[in-house]
Amino acid sequence: MFKLEFKPLNGYIVGKQATGKNGHGFEYSVVKSSFSYGGERGLYEFAGYDEAGEMVHEKVHGWLTLQEATDMAENWKGK
């Protein structure tokens, strides 16, 4: 079962972040903080990375529930 493992953000930003590689071999980042999209409402932001390790900017999504962010991280295929 795919599960996001969150760690606290360091510094002056209060929140948490889960990063890693999914079963397809692609990196992802899921964040919830007062500076992330939807963070003040308890929602999450997702960003995915391509084969070169570059963030795919058009795939940065905010205002996600934990389940939606988890599904995106699990199913991310670099595009």
Side-chain angles (χ1 to χ4, degrees), residues 1-73:
M1 173 184 252
F2 187 85
K3 182 175 167 130
L4 296 174
E5 295 186 25
F6 287 94
K7 295 180 181 176
L9 293 170
N10 294 324
Y12 65 93
I13 299 175
V14 176
K16 58 185 181 177
Q17 180 180 28
T19 60
K21 282 190 179 182
N22 63 18
H24 303 288
F26 289 95
E27 293 183 57
Y28 62 84
S29 171
V30 175
V31 177
K32 182 175 115 176
S33 77
S34 57
F35 291 99
S36 63
Y37 296 116
E40 291 183 354
R41 295 185 182 175
L43 299 173
Y44 295 80
E45 177 181 328
F46 168 84
Y49 297 82
D50 64 15
E51 297 87 359
E54 298 292 323
M55 183 186 294
V56 180
H57 295 286
E58 65 270 13
K59 293 293 180 186
V60 175
H61 297 279
W63 306 94
L64 301 169
T65 64
L66 177 58
Q67 186 60 55
E68 290 169 328
T70 300
D71 291 344
M72 290 184 81

